[in-house]
Amino acid sequence: MNVRSFQLSDYRPLTALLEDVLTEECYEQTMEAFARQLSWDSELVLVAVEQSEIVGMIIGTIDNNKGYYYRIAVLPSHQRRGIGKALIQSLRQRFEQRNVMKILITADEYNEPVLPLYEAMGYASNDFYRSFQKLSIIAG
């Protein structure tokens, strides 16, 4: 498995992955944030590739020297195999390379099921950013 930055050729398989994994409302919000993040900084959108198939993705953003994990998604058939952890670690490295002072996890209603994954990686409840604002508002 390889984690790398999003490339334009990833667009269709990535949107298919998101459609498969996310609810309709979450998908719409995520696509809006995804498009906005690509226009700001595509290096913070990472994909996990296994045998030339996109099996996972994570969207991050930086605002006021804080890094935010916004949305993570892994194909159900590939979950519980370390892909989510690899995506989180890779994005954390990007944040650290940019001297981010604090890393937060966006804890909206859609991310609640994955918060235990972040906790297993050493993040605590005070690292969860609970807001009703969308990414487009947070980093806009």
Side-chain angles (χ1 to χ4, degrees):
M1 193 242 335
N2 177 37
V3 175
R4 61 168 171 75
S5 296
F6 171 84
Q7 299 169 357
L8 194 53
S9 60
D10 298 330
Y11 186 80
R12 283 192 176 178
L14 186 129
T15 56
L17 177 149
L18 293 174
E19 283 179 334
D20 188 34
V21 174
L22 305 177
T23 65
E24 187 176 331
E25 184 179 332
C26 182
Y27 172 82
E28 290 174 17
Q29 287 183 11
T30 301
M31 289 305 295
E32 182 181 309
F34 171 61
R36 185 157 298 208
Q37 187 57 39
L38 286 180
S39 72
W40 290 330
D41 187 349
S42 63
E43 292 294 310
L44 297 177
V45 178
L46 305 179
V47 295
V49 181
E50 201 168 84
Q51 298 176 348
S52 74
E53 177 189 13
I54 293 179
V55 296
M57 62 83 65
I58 191 166
I59 300 172
T61 193
I62 296 174
D63 183 39
N64 292 327
N65 221 18
K66 292 179 186 167
Y68 293 87
Y69 295 108
Y70 176 69
R71 185 79 67 229
I72 186 169
V74 175
L75 285 175
S77 60
H78 289 73
Q79 290 176 2
R80 307 220 181 277
R81 295 178 30 197
I83 294 169
K85 287 181 180 180
L87 286 163
I88 292 167
Q89 289 169 337
S90 294
L91 187 54
R92 181 183 183 94
Q93 289 173 346
R94 302 262 171 124
F95 287 151
E96 289 172 351
Q97 290 168 352
R98 296 183 184 202
N99 300 316
V100 165
M101 300 299 279
K102 180 147 182 73
I103 299 173
L104 298 165
I105 297 100
T106 303
D108 62 14
E109 63 188 289
Y110 306 113
N111 278 347
E112 288 293 330
V114 296
L115 295 184
L117 171 63
Y118 288 104
E119 289 173 333
M121 294 185 68
Y123 291 95
S125 60
N126 63 339
D127 296 319
F128 299 152
Y129 178 74
R130 297 185 190 280
S131 173
F132 296 104
Q133 295 178 326
K134 298 177 186 174
L135 175 65
S136 58
I137 298 170
I138 294 171

